[in-house]
Amino acid sequence: MSELHRLPSVDRLLAHPAIASLIESHGRSLVTTEVRAMLAATREAVKGGAPLPGEDRLVEKVGAGVTAKATPKLRPVFNLTGTVLHTNLGRAPLPEEAVQALVAAARSPCALEYDLDSGGRGDRDDVVAELLRELTGAEAATVVNNNAAAVFLLLNTLAQRKRVVVSRGELVEIGGAFRIPDVMSRAGAKLVEVGTTNRTHLKDFAAAVEEAPTRTAMLMKVHTSNYAIQGFTHAVPESELAALAHRHGLPFVVDLGSGTLTDLAQWGLPHEPTPREAIAAGADLVTFSGDKLLGGPQAGLLVGSKELIAKIKRNPLKRALRVGKLTLAALEAVLRLYRDPDRLHLRLTALRQLTRPEADIRAAAVRLLPVLKTALAGLPVAVEIVALKSQIGSGSLPVDRLPSAGFAVRPQGRRSGVLNRIEEGLRGLARPAIGRIEDGALLLDLRCLQPQEEGEFAAALAGLERNP
Ligand SMILES: *Cc1c(COP(=O)(O)O)cnc(C)c1O
């Protein structure tokens, strides 16, 4: 207790040269709050028996606290997880064209809902509707916040208090609590499950419709994005479902999940169904994500018949689920890249990362190995270049793995705690690097480290060396 009177006052600390320079850069209010909080915490600690820290130590603590407060929460990281479309890391990185468009739209007023030809009010969907029609073959298109919103809006518009027939094999749960049955009930639709987990036939759908044709709103197909049912399986082709739906005057709708706009097989990637294929097979509405394989910003895209899209746009919930100008600016720029399919794999960042050759990734590993070794020198670990398997991510193409390369850091002896320390150190960098610990090794997959970021990554590693 007696020592407490030796703690410096708030005013004394604020006059300290180091604190004064903090005030210069961060403002008096933030720094004063931090000084008060630090003194209160120190007082408690000393009462609890901790030694009284010196003034320099107190100043240092204030500096650390202010820096932590001033560091943005949402900041860039290095994605070394090996998962390209990593939902927790923001999914698709945007191509430069989209970044530029987004910045321009952010900085200035833009013709978001303003028709420059007539000088009258416009429709924000028109920013991308024509591109979407062109790239999918659909008659009309609209955009909402994400694909979950697209599915919800579609069901709420067309299937309230009505039945929606879906195969039991497609009652998908996407990470983050998006479950088709739950979305259905929240949207006011009645789910009618048909078939079995592994096999569903046309006659299952037909029987469900014929049971209550007037109370049925639609037939629905949900792409099983994040799992595969293999072995003795049967799913009904989209064209047959569309024909059955149309015989009963019902729409056939498809939730594609990812939905890329080109055939990925041309780059040696597994084929992923496209909206164009679904529309050509007779789907009346197709929904897909903007930030999965499409490689754009978070958005939910709905394409399909003029009549149904118009109905969806009239739902008042559309207003609640609409996207902002930043999303539209980025989305338009990304969709434009699809008009030049020959160079898409060079310009669309997500696709460039997905198609990056293993040899190219390995060459980056060779360049960076000495830097990592220096950063970890003195720690009881062995570092080597290893072959790795990247994942596409975001529930896209779940069973396929891409040959990749990177580093494995393994503890020498039984010092497994050291890996967690390094992993934490990497996460604590000014630009955090996120790897994964697997089978007793810290794995750093270099697929998503863009060549122009290698210098920054090397510099960041040097920071690890100073502060292990
Ligand atoms: C990913 C996915 C969704 C959700 O899309 P978000 O854009 O993440 O909202 C819905 N359905 C399927 C089949 C999906 O794969």
Side-chain angles (χ1 to χ4, degrees):
M1 191 71 215
S2 56
E3 277 200 310
L4 278 178
H5 71 277
R6 287 175 33 220
L7 264 183
S9 67
V10 172
D11 286 340
R12 182 182 160 87
L13 281 176
L14 288 176
H16 190 283
I19 302 275
S21 96
L22 282 176
I23 291 174
E24 184 82 4
S25 18
H26 301 282
R28 178 167 294 273
S29 165
L30 173 67
V31 178
T32 310
T33 307
E34 202 55 37
V35 166
R36 290 216 168 92
M38 185 279 304
L39 284 174
T42 307
R43 218 170 276 127
E44 286 310 303
V46 172
K47 278 186 200 162
L52 190 77
E55 187 163 318
D56 285 351
R57 178 70 195 120
L58 296 176
V59 168
E60 218 175 86
K61 279 189 177 178
V62 172
V66 168
T67 307
K69 280 236 171 76
T71 306
K73 289 250 187 254
L74 189 61
R75 60 198 155 118
V77 302
F78 294 108
N79 173 8
L80 309 182
T81 62
T83 300
V84 179
L85 302 171
H86 198 302
T87 297
N88 305 142
L89 301 182
R91 291 198 183 155
L94 292 178
E96 200 46 41
E97 287 85 346
V99 172
Q100 296 298 335
L102 188 154
V103 168
R107 191 171 281 138
S108 312
C110 56
L112 177 63
E113 289 187 350
Y114 185 82
D115 184 340
L116 290 170
D117 292 328
S118 70
R121 194 192 154 102
D123 177 340
R124 68 178 63 205
D125 282 345
D126 288 348
V127 174
V128 290
E130 185 187 331
L131 276 157
L132 284 169
R133 285 198 301 269
E134 193 180 302
L135 294 166
T136 64
E139 285 173 5
T142 182
V143 188
V144 288
N145 181 56
N146 56 16
N147 187 36
V151 174
F152 175 80
L153 186 61
L154 174 164
L155 291 169
N156 181 266
T157 308
L158 304 176
Q160 252 195 334
R161 288 184 291 277
K162 284 193 154 186
R163 306 158 85 238
V164 175
V165 187
V166 187
S167 161
R168 278 207 172 78
E170 299 176 356
L171 299 176
V172 178
E173 173 180 316
I174 313 293
F178 176 91
R179 287 176 161 185
I180 286 291
D182 298 345
V183 174
M184 288 254 182
S185 64
R186 283 293 173 137
K190 293 187 186 121
L191 170 64
V192 178
E193 307 169 27
V194 298
T196 60
T197 305
N198 56 328
R199 290 174 71 83
T200 303
H201 304 277
L202 190 63
K203 62 177 195 289
D204 300 325
F205 282 95
V209 176
E210 278 149 24
E211 215 171 78
T214 54
R215 284 187 293 120
T216 302
M218 64 177 70
L219 301 189
M220 183 171 188
K221 183 170 180 67
V222 182
H223 183 50
T224 55
S225 324
N226 53 2
Y227 63 100
I229 298 183
Q230 288 174 334
F232 186 56
T233 65
H234 186 261
V236 186
E238 287 174 357
S239 55
E240 291 178 25
L241 285 175
L244 173 66
H246 297 161
R247 269 203 301 284
H248 291 275
L250 300 174
F252 169 54
V253 311
V254 181
D255 171 14
L256 266 189
S258 201
T260 164
L261 293 170
T262 54
D263 182 6
L264 295 180
Q266 63 185 302
W267 294 289
L269 292 166
H271 179 78
E272 172 83 9
T274 65
R276 183 180 288 283
E277 288 165 1
I279 294 287
D284 301 283
L285 277 174
V286 183
T287 76
F288 51 103
S289 281
D291 56 354
K292 290 185 179 174
L293 285 169
L294 194 139
Q298 179 187 306
L301 309 171
L302 281 137
V303 301
S305 80
K306 247 193 192 137
E307 185 204 334
L308 295 180
I309 293 288
K311 256 192 193 167
I312 285 170
K313 290 178 69 149
R314 283 197 300 270
N315 186 333
L317 284 174
K318 165 68 165 64
R319 175 65 170 73
L321 301 173
R322 75 181 186 186
V323 292
K325 63 176 182 173
L326 303 186
T327 299
L328 279 170
L331 184 61
E332 181 189 9
V334 166
L335 292 175
R336 279 182 193 285
L337 296 183
Y338 279 88
R339 281 188 170 154
D340 181 7
D342 297 340
R343 282 187 293 170
L344 191 64
H345 66 295
L346 302 174
R347 296 167 77 195
L348 187 65
T349 313
L351 187 59
R352 192 169 65 227
Q353 294 186 345
L354 289 169
T355 56
R356 190 172 176 193
E358 184 186 0
D360 190 44
I361 306 169
R362 186 169 282 271
V366 170
R367 285 192 294 275
L368 288 164
L369 181 65
V371 186
L372 183 61
K373 280 199 160 159
T374 308
L376 301 180
L379 292 172
V381 291
V383 186
E384 59 172 344
I385 295 176
V386 289
L388 295 169
K389 296 274 187 218
S390 308
Q391 295 188 40
I392 294 169
S394 278
S396 309
L397 312 162
V399 286
D400 295 288
R401 294 282 187 277
L402 311 169
S404 185
F407 303 117
V409 181
R410 292 195 179 84
Q412 281 174 326
R414 292 195 197 169
R415 312 274 298 275
S416 61
V418 71
L419 283 193
N420 292 322
R421 250 176 46 228
I422 296 170
E423 191 260 346
E424 259 171 51
L426 288 169
R427 260 192 289 127
L429 294 174
R431 177 166 171 182
I434 318 288
R436 66 185 203 266
I437 292 183
E438 205 175 280
D439 299 332
L442 171 62
L443 302 179
L444 306 175
D445 187 321
L446 295 182
R447 171 177 297 279
C448 299
L449 182 69
Q450 305 196 53
Q452 72 273 20
E453 295 174 333
E454 271 180 34
E456 191 189 346
F457 180 57
L461 283 179
L464 183 69
E465 192 185 346
R466 283 195 303 273
N467 188 16

mmCIF file of all heavy atoms in Angstrom, residues 109-138:
data_model
loop_
_atom_site.group_PDB
_atom_site.id
_atom_site.type_symbol
_atom_site.label_atom_id
_atom_site.label_comp_id
_atom_site.label_asym_id
_atom_site.label_seq_id
_atom_site.Cartn_x
_atom_site.Cartn_y
_atom_site.Cartn_z
ATOM 1 N N PRO A 109 -19.069 10.559 -55.680
ATOM 2 C CA PRO A 109 -20.431 10.151 -56.034
ATOM 3 C C PRO A 109 -20.376 9.331 -57.317
ATOM 4 O O PRO A 109 -19.480 9.514 -58.143
ATOM 5 C CB PRO A 109 -21.132 11.494 -56.292
ATOM 6 C CG PRO A 109 -20.282 12.526 -55.646
ATOM 7 C CD PRO A 109 -18.880 12.006 -55.660
ATOM 8 N N CYS A 110 -21.297 8.422 -57.492
ATOM 9 C CA CYS A 110 -21.305 7.620 -58.714
ATOM 10 C C CYS A 110 -22.754 7.364 -59.133
ATOM 11 O O CYS A 110 -23.672 7.506 -58.327
ATOM 12 C CB CYS A 110 -20.544 6.313 -58.511
ATOM 13 S SG CYS A 110 -21.160 5.320 -57.153
ATOM 14 N N ALA A 111 -22.919 6.976 -60.371
ATOM 15 C CA ALA A 111 -24.275 6.822 -60.923
ATOM 16 C C ALA A 111 -24.852 5.482 -60.484
ATOM 17 O O ALA A 111 -25.091 4.588 -61.292
ATOM 18 C CB ALA A 111 -24.237 6.927 -62.443
ATOM 19 N N LEU A 112 -25.095 5.356 -59.195
ATOM 20 C CA LEU A 112 -25.540 4.079 -58.636
ATOM 21 C C LEU A 112 -26.988 3.783 -59.024
ATOM 22 O O LEU A 112 -27.299 2.686 -59.494
ATOM 23 C CB LEU A 112 -25.401 4.133 -57.108
ATOM 24 C CG LEU A 112 -25.875 2.919 -56.333
ATOM 25 C CD1 LEU A 112 -25.060 1.691 -56.694
ATOM 26 C CD2 LEU A 112 -25.789 3.183 -54.835
ATOM 27 N N GLU A 113 -27.843 4.763 -58.822
ATOM 28 C CA GLU A 113 -29.258 4.598 -59.184
ATOM 29 C C GLU A 113 -29.682 5.812 -59.992
ATOM 30 O O GLU A 113 -30.682 6.462 -59.699
ATOM 31 C CB GLU A 113 -30.131 4.466 -57.930
ATOM 32 C CG GLU A 113 -29.951 3.155 -57.221
ATOM 33 C CD GLU A 113 -30.947 2.963 -56.083
ATOM 34 O OE1 GLU A 113 -31.650 3.921 -55.735
ATOM 35 O OE2 GLU A 113 -31.000 1.839 -55.545
ATOM 36 N N TYR A 114 -28.884 6.122 -60.952
ATOM 37 C CA TYR A 114 -29.131 7.315 -61.760
ATOM 38 C C TYR A 114 -28.856 6.959 -63.200
ATOM 39 O O TYR A 114 -27.765 6.511 -63.543
ATOM 40 C CB TYR A 114 -28.205 8.436 -61.287
ATOM 41 C CG TYR A 114 -28.453 9.755 -61.981
ATOM 42 C CD1 TYR A 114 -29.483 10.600 -61.551
ATOM 43 C CD2 TYR A 114 -27.682 10.147 -63.070
ATOM 44 C CE1 TYR A 114 -29.722 11.797 -62.196
ATOM 45 C CE2 TYR A 114 -27.920 11.344 -63.723
ATOM 46 C CZ TYR A 114 -28.938 12.169 -63.283
ATOM 47 O OH TYR A 114 -29.175 13.354 -63.921
ATOM 48 N N ASP A 115 -29.858 7.129 -64.032
ATOM 49 C CA ASP A 115 -29.724 6.794 -65.443
ATOM 50 C C ASP A 115 -29.109 7.988 -66.171
ATOM 51 O O ASP A 115 -29.755 9.033 -66.336
ATOM 52 C CB ASP A 115 -31.116 6.452 -66.004
ATOM 53 C CG ASP A 115 -31.023 5.988 -67.451
ATOM 54 O OD1 ASP A 115 -30.001 6.292 -68.102
ATOM 55 O OD2 ASP A 115 -31.966 5.333 -67.917
ATOM 56 N N LEU A 116 -27.852 7.826 -66.586
ATOM 57 C CA LEU A 116 -27.137 8.950 -67.186
ATOM 58 C C LEU A 116 -27.720 9.333 -68.543
ATOM 59 O O LEU A 116 -27.533 10.452 -69.008
ATOM 60 C CB LEU A 116 -25.642 8.617 -67.308
ATOM 61 C CG LEU A 116 -24.904 8.560 -65.971
ATOM 62 C CD1 LEU A 116 -23.498 7.993 -66.151
ATOM 63 C CD2 LEU A 116 -24.832 9.943 -65.332
ATOM 64 N N ASP A 117 -28.413 8.407 -69.207
ATOM 65 C CA ASP A 117 -28.997 8.729 -70.517
ATOM 66 C C ASP A 117 -30.232 9.603 -70.373
ATOM 67 O O ASP A 117 -30.376 10.598 -71.058
ATOM 68 C CB ASP A 117 -29.361 7.434 -71.268
ATOM 69 C CG ASP A 117 -28.098 6.679 -71.669
ATOM 70 O OD1 ASP A 117 -27.075 7.344 -71.935
ATOM 71 O OD2 ASP A 117 -28.122 5.426 -71.683
ATOM 72 N N SER A 118 -31.104 9.210 -69.461
ATOM 73 C CA SER A 118 -32.366 9.953 -69.341
ATOM 74 C C SER A 118 -32.298 11.045 -68.280
ATOM 75 O O SER A 118 -33.128 11.944 -68.256
ATOM 76 C CB SER A 118 -33.497 8.988 -68.988
ATOM 77 O OG SER A 118 -33.315 8.521 -67.658
ATOM 78 N N GLY A 119 -31.315 10.948 -67.403
ATOM 79 C CA GLY A 119 -31.254 11.903 -66.299
ATOM 80 C C GLY A 119 -32.259 11.589 -65.218
ATOM 81 O O GLY A 119 -32.471 12.377 -64.309
ATOM 82 N N GLY A 120 -32.872 10.437 -65.296
ATOM 83 C CA GLY A 120 -33.874 10.050 -64.304
ATOM 84 C C GLY A 120 -33.329 9.007 -63.345
ATOM 85 O O GLY A 120 -32.143 8.659 -63.375
ATOM 86 N N ARG A 121 -34.226 8.522 -62.517
ATOM 87 C CA ARG A 121 -33.856 7.523 -61.539
ATOM 88 C C ARG A 121 -33.517 6.206 -62.227
ATOM 89 O O ARG A 121 -34.197 5.777 -63.146
ATOM 90 C CB ARG A 121 -35.035 7.326 -60.585
ATOM 91 C CG ARG A 121 -34.643 6.571 -59.346
ATOM 92 C CD ARG A 121 -35.857 6.129 -58.556
ATOM 93 N NE ARG A 121 -35.442 4.941 -57.807
ATOM 94 C CZ ARG A 121 -35.142 4.977 -56.527
ATOM 95 N NH1 ARG A 121 -35.243 6.074 -55.854
ATOM 96 N NH2 ARG A 121 -34.732 3.881 -55.913
ATOM 97 N N GLY A 122 -32.451 5.548 -61.763
ATOM 98 C CA GLY A 122 -32.077 4.257 -62.332
ATOM 99 C C GLY A 122 -32.257 3.145 -61.318
ATOM 100 O O GLY A 122 -32.815 3.369 -60.239
ATOM 101 N N ASP A 123 -31.790 1.964 -61.676
ATOM 102 C CA ASP A 123 -31.927 0.782 -60.823
ATOM 103 C C ASP A 123 -30.513 0.244 -60.591
ATOM 104 O O ASP A 123 -29.774 0.012 -61.548
ATOM 105 C CB ASP A 123 -32.779 -0.249 -61.576
ATOM 106 C CG ASP A 123 -32.927 -1.557 -60.817
ATOM 107 O OD1 ASP A 123 -32.099 -1.835 -59.909
ATOM 108 O OD2 ASP A 123 -33.842 -2.310 -61.145
ATOM 109 N N ARG A 124 -30.132 0.090 -59.319
ATOM 110 C CA ARG A 124 -28.741 -0.305 -59.062
ATOM 111 C C ARG A 124 -28.390 -1.667 -59.663
ATOM 112 O O ARG A 124 -27.240 -1.920 -60.002
ATOM 113 C CB ARG A 124 -28.416 -0.240 -57.573
ATOM 114 C CG ARG A 124 -29.123 -1.259 -56.702
ATOM 115 C CD ARG A 124 -28.681 -1.118 -55.255
ATOM 116 N NE ARG A 124 -29.055 0.192 -54.721
ATOM 117 C CZ ARG A 124 -28.420 0.790 -53.703
ATOM 118 N NH1 ARG A 124 -27.405 0.195 -53.111
ATOM 119 N NH2 ARG A 124 -28.821 1.954 -53.268
ATOM 120 N N ASP A 125 -29.349 -2.526 -59.841
ATOM 121 C CA ASP A 125 -29.060 -3.821 -60.463
ATOM 122 C C ASP A 125 -28.563 -3.656 -61.911
ATOM 123 O O ASP A 125 -27.869 -4.528 -62.430
ATOM 124 C CB ASP A 125 -30.315 -4.697 -60.485
ATOM 125 C CG ASP A 125 -30.604 -5.321 -59.127
ATOM 126 O OD1 ASP A 125 -29.692 -5.313 -58.270
ATOM 127 O OD2 ASP A 125 -31.732 -5.806 -58.926
ATOM 128 N N ASP A 126 -28.945 -2.527 -62.539
ATOM 129 C CA ASP A 126 -28.552 -2.333 -63.934
ATOM 130 C C ASP A 126 -27.043 -2.220 -64.108
ATOM 131 O O ASP A 126 -26.527 -2.381 -65.206
ATOM 132 C CB ASP A 126 -29.234 -1.080 -64.513
ATOM 133 C CG ASP A 126 -30.722 -1.326 -64.725
ATOM 134 O OD1 ASP A 126 -31.143 -2.499 -64.646
ATOM 135 O OD2 ASP A 126 -31.462 -0.340 -64.946
ATOM 136 N N VAL A 127 -26.326 -1.934 -63.018
ATOM 137 C CA VAL A 127 -24.870 -1.842 -63.107
ATOM 138 C C VAL A 127 -24.292 -3.174 -63.618
ATOM 139 O O VAL A 127 -23.328 -3.195 -64.373
ATOM 140 C CB VAL A 127 -24.262 -1.479 -61.724
ATOM 141 C CG1 VAL A 127 -22.743 -1.521 -61.761
ATOM 142 C CG2 VAL A 127 -24.746 -0.110 -61.270
ATOM 143 N N VAL A 128 -24.903 -4.278 -63.205
ATOM 144 C CA VAL A 128 -24.341 -5.587 -63.584
ATOM 145 C C VAL A 128 -25.317 -6.493 -64.323
ATOM 146 O O VAL A 128 -24.933 -7.579 -64.774
ATOM 147 C CB VAL A 128 -23.815 -6.341 -62.346
ATOM 148 C CG1 VAL A 128 -22.565 -5.684 -61.800
ATOM 149 C CG2 VAL A 128 -24.877 -6.470 -61.275
ATOM 150 N N ALA A 129 -26.572 -6.074 -64.485
ATOM 151 C CA ALA A 129 -27.571 -6.986 -65.048
ATOM 152 C C ALA A 129 -27.199 -7.438 -66.469
ATOM 153 O O ALA A 129 -27.308 -8.631 -66.797
ATOM 154 C CB ALA A 129 -28.948 -6.329 -65.034
ATOM 155 N N GLU A 130 -26.745 -6.491 -67.279
ATOM 156 C CA GLU A 130 -26.442 -6.859 -68.661
ATOM 157 C C GLU A 130 -25.283 -7.865 -68.722
ATOM 158 O O GLU A 130 -25.334 -8.862 -69.443
ATOM 159 C CB GLU A 130 -26.098 -5.600 -69.460
ATOM 160 C CG GLU A 130 -25.894 -5.880 -70.931
ATOM 161 C CD GLU A 130 -25.384 -4.647 -71.688
ATOM 162 O OE1 GLU A 130 -25.693 -3.523 -71.253
ATOM 163 O OE2 GLU A 130 -24.676 -4.838 -72.690
ATOM 164 N N LEU A 131 -24.244 -7.600 -67.922
ATOM 165 C CA LEU A 131 -23.113 -8.535 -67.878
ATOM 166 C C LEU A 131 -23.570 -9.914 -67.424
ATOM 167 O O LEU A 131 -23.153 -10.944 -67.973
ATOM 168 C CB LEU A 131 -22.046 -8.008 -66.909
ATOM 169 C CG LEU A 131 -21.058 -6.995 -67.479
ATOM 170 C CD1 LEU A 131 -20.450 -6.157 -66.361
ATOM 171 C CD2 LEU A 131 -19.962 -7.722 -68.250
ATOM 172 N N LEU A 132 -24.420 -9.939 -66.416
ATOM 173 C CA LEU A 132 -24.879 -11.236 -65.903
ATOM 174 C C LEU A 132 -25.724 -11.974 -66.937
ATOM 175 O O LEU A 132 -25.637 -13.192 -67.066
ATOM 176 C CB LEU A 132 -25.651 -11.056 -64.590
ATOM 177 C CG LEU A 132 -24.776 -10.774 -63.368
ATOM 178 C CD1 LEU A 132 -25.616 -10.336 -62.178
ATOM 179 C CD2 LEU A 132 -23.944 -12.015 -62.999
ATOM 180 N N ARG A 133 -26.541 -11.222 -67.680
ATOM 181 C CA ARG A 133 -27.348 -11.862 -68.741
ATOM 182 C C ARG A 133 -26.417 -12.469 -69.778
ATOM 183 O O ARG A 133 -26.574 -13.612 -70.190
ATOM 184 C CB ARG A 133 -28.259 -10.830 -69.408
ATOM 185 C CG ARG A 133 -29.464 -10.439 -68.563
ATOM 186 C CD ARG A 133 -30.547 -9.784 -69.410
ATOM 187 N NE ARG A 133 -30.087 -8.574 -70.102
ATOM 188 C CZ ARG A 133 -30.183 -7.338 -69.586
ATOM 189 N NH1 ARG A 133 -30.720 -7.156 -68.395
ATOM 190 N NH2 ARG A 133 -29.751 -6.307 -70.262
ATOM 191 N N GLU A 134 -25.447 -11.674 -70.158
ATOM 192 C CA GLU A 134 -24.495 -12.107 -71.186
ATOM 193 C C GLU A 134 -23.714 -13.359 -70.738
ATOM 194 O O GLU A 134 -23.485 -14.274 -71.508
ATOM 195 C CB GLU A 134 -23.547 -10.927 -71.382
ATOM 196 C CG GLU A 134 -22.658 -10.938 -72.565
ATOM 197 C CD GLU A 134 -21.819 -9.644 -72.519
ATOM 198 O OE1 GLU A 134 -22.401 -8.531 -72.509
ATOM 199 O OE2 GLU A 134 -20.583 -9.765 -72.461
ATOM 200 N N LEU A 135 -23.311 -13.382 -69.484
ATOM 201 C CA LEU A 135 -22.417 -14.449 -69.016
ATOM 202 C C LEU A 135 -23.158 -15.708 -68.577
ATOM 203 O O LEU A 135 -22.534 -16.747 -68.347
ATOM 204 C CB LEU A 135 -21.552 -13.938 -67.855
ATOM 205 C CG LEU A 135 -20.559 -12.827 -68.232
ATOM 206 C CD1 LEU A 135 -20.004 -12.138 -66.997
ATOM 207 C CD2 LEU A 135 -19.425 -13.393 -69.081
ATOM 208 N N THR A 136 -24.488 -15.614 -68.424
ATOM 209 C CA THR A 136 -25.228 -16.793 -67.969
ATOM 210 C C THR A 136 -26.288 -17.247 -68.966
ATOM 211 O O THR A 136 -26.822 -18.340 -68.844
ATOM 212 C CB THR A 136 -25.957 -16.515 -66.633
ATOM 213 O OG1 THR A 136 -26.942 -15.492 -66.848
ATOM 214 C CG2 THR A 136 -24.986 -16.086 -65.559
ATOM 215 N N GLY A 137 -26.622 -16.378 -69.927
ATOM 216 C CA GLY A 137 -27.688 -16.709 -70.863
ATOM 217 C C GLY A 137 -29.079 -16.508 -70.274
ATOM 218 O O GLY A 137 -30.078 -16.858 -70.903
ATOM 219 N N ALA A 138 -29.165 -15.949 -69.067
ATOM 220 C CA ALA A 138 -30.473 -15.733 -68.447
ATOM 221 C C ALA A 138 -31.098 -14.439 -68.977
ATOM 222 O O ALA A 138 -30.397 -13.567 -69.482
ATOM 223 C CB ALA A 138 -30.315 -15.653 -66.933
#
